[in-house]
Amino acid sequence: MTSALRESAGKEKRGPISKQRNTHPQPVLIEAAKLAPRFNETLKAVHEKEQAKGHANRATLAVARKLVAYLLAVDRAYFAELKASKLTVTVGST
């Protein structure tokens, strides 16, 4: 879900979604982004903020990007914990 980002005078403008992506999870992510604001207040606020600017599809993409950020944070935490547990086993066995 990467897109071009142009920034000038404190304003961000995003371009179209990049073609450099894995196309299989994208439809699932978009559908999740359409449903997520119903169940999460933070994502609902993100959606409403973007929708107030006047474009529903951009609001959905903003929610999708937020979901990706959440997924990456969970992934990072998991692998950091896994790495720490391997270090503990390695250090403990010597």
Side-chain angles (χ1 to χ4, degrees):
M1 302 295 297
T2 61
S3 65
L5 176 65
R6 292 181 302 278
E7 217 174 331
S8 178
K11 292 186 179 182
E12 291 182 358
K13 292 186 181 182
R14 291 195 175 273
I17 296 175
S18 170
K19 300 288 184 194
Q20 298 175 344
R21 66 185 185 281
N22 187 339
T23 57
H24 299 293
Q26 183 180 351
V28 175
L29 184 61
I30 294 298
E31 290 303 317
K34 289 180 181 179
L35 290 174
R38 296 180 190 173
F39 301 102
N40 186 299
E41 291 299 320
T42 305
L43 295 174
K44 184 176 184 176
V46 168
H47 188 269
E48 288 175 352
K49 179 183 173 189
E50 289 297 320
Q51 197 167 20
K53 295 178 184 178
H55 204 280
N57 290 340
R58 286 188 186 163
T60 301
L61 284 176
V63 172
R65 286 186 184 104
K66 193 69 149 176
L67 285 172
V68 168
Y70 288 158
L71 291 172
L72 288 174
V74 168
D75 193 48
R76 258 187 249 119
Y78 171 76
F79 282 107
E81 183 179 315
L82 186 64
K83 186 177 178 180
S85 68
K86 284 184 179 180
L87 287 175
T88 305
V89 171
T90 305
V91 172
S93 64
T94 56

